[in-house]
Amino acid sequence: MRIYYGLDDVPSDLGPTVLTIGNFDGVHRGHQHVMAQLTETARRRGAAAVALTFDPHPALVHRPESAPELLTGLGEKLARLQSSGVDATLVLNYTTELAGHTAEDFVRRYFVEALSPVAVVIGRDVRFGRNNQGDFSTMVELGEVFGFDVIGVDDFPVDSPTEGESAARCSSTAIREALQEGDVASAAGMLGRAHAVVGEVVHGEARGRELGFPTANLSQEAEGMVPADGVYAGWVTDAHHHRWPAAISVGSNPTFDGLIRVVEAHVMDRPEEQVEEFDLYGQHLRVEFVDRLRGMVAYEGVDKLVEQMYKDVEAAHQVLTASRGAGPVSALRGK
């Protein structure tokens, strides 16, 4: 996938395109549904499938004090767009100046003049232009003016509704709500994959190592929304694409009166021959959350905490083995 960071990066010979637009936070199953329509239409039309997105997220510009926590960073978003089969992505630097374009001016400059679309594939709830004045019907009208077709994509339902109820809509907001409750399994159902946080491994207080459960602590600058406090079963992947099962803790270590909320992963089933070489400090680690085992609890004394940690590791083993439908988790470690 080619990535263009602004109009100056777009080659003049890109040719005809089929275009979509959105923030695509999380690149969840709803977004993937749009991308499937985008790439299929592009193939039929002999055009390039192009996604237009923004960085930073518009909410961070317009209302930074109340902007939602992002599900993914830009790098993860671009990787997910690439895996969806998109040929190119144009990343526009979102500013108040960009937001000031009328709907027509925005489409003329960033669609027609820059990308020469023969078709635009969008959700029916699309909004664009100054004060979000443009909607789906506006895009249809502009398509007639500028000579491109507009293909509407319906919402992707989360599940099958019961009689008399509407299907829940797959959205970034719904995924954030699930993560705020610690329901990473429901979030995964909407994402089409396990939710992940990605960041550099930094030195912590080494309590886990002292208790017999060494952990890899992620930097406070890690990207990806951190789910609710608690203990989770999941996977960690290092910079060399080695993948291990893990018991993951999210919280401020209440047993030790901690104040800073951290994500730390205890890697399980690490072969003894890798003990000396298993140094994750300074690496970027991907931490995937499969299921929540329990909430965060302050224990009365270290002994009770250690006892619970053994139980957490065993529970994580069981969850991860079941989730992969395989034998012992130790046999699942791979590259």
Side-chain angles (χ1 to χ4, degrees), residues 26-27 72 75-85 193-194 286:
V27 194
T72 56
E76 175 82 356
K77 176 165 69 171
L78 292 173
R80 291 297 167 184
L81 289 173
Q82 179 177 10
S83 67
S84 73
R193 64 185 185 278
R286 179 184 182 84

Side-chain angles (χ1 to χ4, degrees), residues 84 163 168 176 185 267:
S84 73
E163 186 174 353
R176 291 189 193 100
V267 175

Side-chain angles (χ1 to χ4, degrees), residues 102-255:
T102 65
E104 182 173 351
D105 287 342
F106 180 84
V107 168
R108 177 187 293 109
R109 180 174 184 184
Y110 295 99
F111 282 29
V112 179
E113 296 177 358
L115 298 169
S116 304
V118 293
V120 172
V121 178
I122 49 175
R124 297 185 186 277
D125 61 347
V126 68
R127 306 293 300 195
F128 62 99
R130 183 189 304 155
N131 299 322
N132 281 333
Q133 64 185 206
D135 58 13
F136 183 81
S137 62
T138 308
M139 189 70 78
V140 172
E141 294 170 1
L142 292 174
E144 294 173 351
V145 171
F146 293 115
F148 57 79
D149 296 329
V150 176
I151 301 170
V153 181
D154 294 327
D155 289 341
F156 188 87
V158 174
D159 50 27
S160 299
T162 57
E163 186 174 353
E165 294 184 355
S166 299
R169 178 174 176 266
C170 185
S171 68
S172 300
T173 298
I175 296 169
R176 291 189 193 100
E177 291 173 350
L179 293 175
Q180 287 169 354
E181 297 296 324
D183 189 356
V184 295
S186 290
M190 290 182 276
L191 286 166
R193 64 185 185 278
H195 175 66
V197 175
V198 181
E200 182 180 354
V201 178
V202 298
H203 289 277
E205 297 182 358
R207 279 205 189 95
R209 185 174 300 277
E210 294 170 0
L211 299 176
F213 295 89
T215 60
N217 292 27
L218 293 191
S219 163
Q220 293 294 301
E221 284 72 47
E223 294 186 339
M225 181 176 173
V226 177
D229 288 2
V231 177
Y232 298 82
W235 299 89
V236 298
T237 305
D238 70 9
H240 304 291
H241 306 292
H242 300 126
R243 192 167 184 252
W244 293 274
I248 306 158
S249 172
V250 175
S252 57
N253 294 319
T255 300

Side-chain angles (χ1 to χ4, degrees), residues 15-27:
T17 68
V18 175
L19 178 64
T20 191
I21 180 174
N23 294 313
F24 306 125
D25 184 28
V27 194

Side-chain angles (χ1 to χ4, degrees), residues 1 18-22 24 35 38 49-53 81 86-91 115:
M1 181 182 77
V18 175
L19 178 64
T20 191
I21 180 174
F24 306 125
M35 299 306 159
L38 174 76
V50 179
L52 189 157
T53 192
L81 289 173
V86 173
D87 296 310
T89 296
L90 171 58
V91 181
L115 298 169

Side-chain angles (χ1 to χ4, degrees), residues 249-293:
S249 172
V250 175
S252 57
N253 294 319
T255 300
F256 298 98
D257 298 321
L259 298 176
I260 300 176
R261 193 164 181 256
V262 296
V263 175
E264 48 187 330
H266 170 65
V267 175
M268 303 186 299
D269 297 336
R270 178 161 43 94
E272 289 300 321
E273 64 268 19
Q274 290 190 356
V275 170
E276 295 300 325
E277 66 184 56
F278 196 76
D279 183 3
L280 296 175
Y281 290 117
Q283 289 193 41
H284 269 72
L285 200 69
R286 179 184 182 84
V287 178
E288 299 176 11
F289 298 84
V290 173
D291 204 1
R292 193 182 194 211
L293 303 177

